[in-house]
């Protein structure tokens, strides 16, 4: 097996029966594995709700470590749409030229820093700082804040190698509370201030609602972006021909990003709580249990994707669900796409080759499935383009 | 060269000319309201949904299976719906009128 390969552990179950079963903290989950089922279920918010107890739609469940409702993520239509309309323009800012120039400068400077070092541990020395620095643009906060976020490590809800960790989560919550208080006292042009001054149903957003949006922004875009960046580096290390192609045809970078998101599926799955007895692919599902939309499995569905286990850099038709689907599709997708696109183009212009030295894979254990999502650590050497 | 007309949700009519690339890219490059093209044209985001004027369906053709699967779950979709990232510009599209869904 190639070092950068992410095998598909779901294929047999997806083809044979269409679902898998996972017992998560005594709140079982029926994992939906086929693309069409995942899409239909994501769209049907009435039977498969997000507005359940906060933390319950996440797999593994976060009900024991948080009470804060993440917004708009854990709200359903029609109210969901009202929240989404408030935050959407802010999350589309990465389409602006000025935002992209700043992001390009950040990524170029980081790549310059690591070029020709003997060894770079990509997760902690490259992906984490890249993600944290880029987040200062999304939040429109001072660059120096990224130092604090980098110091938290790669996970915001868990310690290294540990299960869910309430103390770790509290660091994030306390930080966000402080930032909201700061923005109330001293409003500026940062995301906290903009949310605090936003109108919702004839009033301003409350502190709890602002916190709900901020927690989502921090949590949703951390492991996911870090995994996507790290996996991209590992892939390009083993596929110098792809790095070469991006150099010669920079215009394919946008398609390559979509293909990486499909293949890496940085978020394996997202849950829903079932509101009435129902069935998916002839399998009965009881009210008040959970299903999950397994994006990672759906993205390898051979009934939709030709050669699903191959990275086809310029895949032309690519109806993947790596950013989710329907009402709750990823709010941070515009930011994430820009990060990856700029990263690919920067690597292509500055890096000649990448050598993998050693690594430890990050494997998610999902009862009957074991899924590689990326790396706990991976040491590489970046060689400058000459 | 093909002339393509977009009618936005606030009933503004904009006619653009193009010779290659996708209709989605032409719309995004010219800031047509309601066409976002988030995924860059690989048929994964459905943010380039248009309703083709019925008499122009002959020029555009109907949605492919993968495209139709995406549109099936869009509450605004009808038999004239297309994702315009899947419409390649060419002389055959000259004169088409597309109503932006969003």
């Amino acid at each position: 097996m190639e070092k950068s390969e992410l095998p598909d552990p779901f294929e047999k179950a997806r083809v044979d029966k269409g679902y898998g079963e996972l017992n998560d903290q005594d709140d079982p989950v029926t994992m939906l594995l086929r693309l069409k089922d995942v899409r239909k279920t994501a769209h049907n918010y009435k039977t498969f709700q997000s507005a359940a107890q906060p933390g319950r739609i996440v797999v593994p469940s976060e009900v024991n470590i948080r009470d804060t409702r993440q917004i708009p993520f854990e709200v359903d239509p029609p109210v969901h749409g009202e929240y989404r309309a408030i935050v959407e323009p802010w999350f589309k800012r990465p389409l602006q030229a000025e935002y992209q120039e700043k992001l390009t400068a950040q990524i170029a400077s980081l790549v310059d820093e690591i070029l020709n070092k003997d060894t770079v541990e990509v997760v902690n020395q490259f992906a984490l700082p890249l993600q944290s620095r880029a987040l200062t643009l999304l939040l429109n906060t001072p660059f120096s804040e990224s130092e604090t976020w980098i110091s938290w490590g790669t996970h915001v809800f868990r310690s290294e190698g540990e299960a869910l960790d309430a103390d770790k989560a509290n660091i994030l919550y306390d930080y966000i509370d402080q930032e909201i208080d700061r923005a109330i006292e001293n409003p500026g042009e940062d995301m906290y201030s903009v949310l605090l001054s936003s109108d919702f149903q004839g009033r301003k957003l409350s502190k709890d609602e602002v916190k709900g949006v901020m927690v989502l922004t921090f949590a949703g875009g951390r492991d996911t972006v870090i995994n996507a960046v790290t996996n991209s580096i590992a892939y390009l290390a083993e596929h110098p021909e792809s790095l070469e192609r991006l150099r010669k045809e920079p215009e394919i970078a946008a398609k390559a990003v979509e293909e990486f998101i499909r293949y890496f599926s940085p978020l394996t799955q997202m849950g829903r709580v079932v509101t009435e007895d129902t069935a998916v692919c002839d399998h009965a599902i009881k009210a008040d249990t959970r299903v999950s939309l397994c994006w990672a499995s759906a993205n390898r569905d051979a009934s939709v994707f030709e050669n699903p286990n191959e990275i086809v850099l310029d895949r032309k038709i690519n109806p993947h669900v790596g950013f989710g689907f329907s009402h709750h599709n990823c709010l941070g997708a515009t930011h994430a796409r820009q990060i990856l696109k700029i990263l690919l183009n920067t690597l292509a212009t500055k890096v000649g080759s990448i050598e993998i030295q050693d690594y430890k894979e990050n494997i998610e254990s999902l009862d009957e499935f074991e899924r590689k999502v990326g790396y706990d650590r991976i040491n590489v050497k970046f060689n400058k383009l000459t | 060269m093909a002339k393509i007309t977009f009618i936005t949700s606030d009933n503004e009519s904009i006619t653009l000319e193009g010779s290659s690339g996708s209709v989605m890219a032409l719309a995004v490059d010219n800031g047509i309201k309601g066409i976002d093209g988030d995924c860059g044209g690989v048929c994964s985001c459905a943010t380039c949904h248009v309703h083709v004027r019925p008499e122009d369906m002959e020029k555009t053709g109907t949605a492919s299976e993968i495209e139709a699967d995406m549109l099936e779950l869009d509450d605004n979709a009808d038999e004239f719906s297309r994702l315009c990232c899947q419409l390649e510009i060419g002389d055959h599209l000259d004169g088409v009128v597309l109503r932006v869904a969003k």
Side-chain angles (χ1 to χ4, degrees), chain A residues 36 39-40 43 88 92 95 254-255 258 304 315-320 325 327 329 334 337, chain B residues 36 38-47 64-66 69-70 72-75 86 102:
Chain A
K36 279 193 183 183
R39 276 214 201 120
K40 277 191 182 151
H43 190 64
E88 193 121 341
K92 290 274 183 193
L95 294 175
K255 284 195 171 68
E258 298 304 319
V304 180
R315 195 181 281 272
K316 300 201 171 44
I317 306 277
N318 196 350
H320 70 81
F325 185 74
H327 318 283
N329 66 5
T334 312
R337 283 179 164 121
Chain B
D36 295 338
D38 288 345
C39 76
V42 295
C43 206
S44 87
C45 71
T47 62
S64 69
E65 191 187 339
I66 282 178
D69 282 347
M70 293 288 290
E72 184 195 1
L73 296 173
D74 189 318
D75 302 329
Q86 300 302 307
K102 192 174 132 193

Side-chain angles (χ1 to χ4, degrees), chain A residues 39-59:
Chain A
R39 276 214 201 120
K40 277 191 182 151
T41 307
H43 190 64
N44 181 0
Y45 65 88
K46 286 181 179 156
T47 306
F48 304 97
Q49 76 170 171
S50 294
Q53 184 187 358
R56 194 172 173 207
I57 62 167
V58 184
V59 184

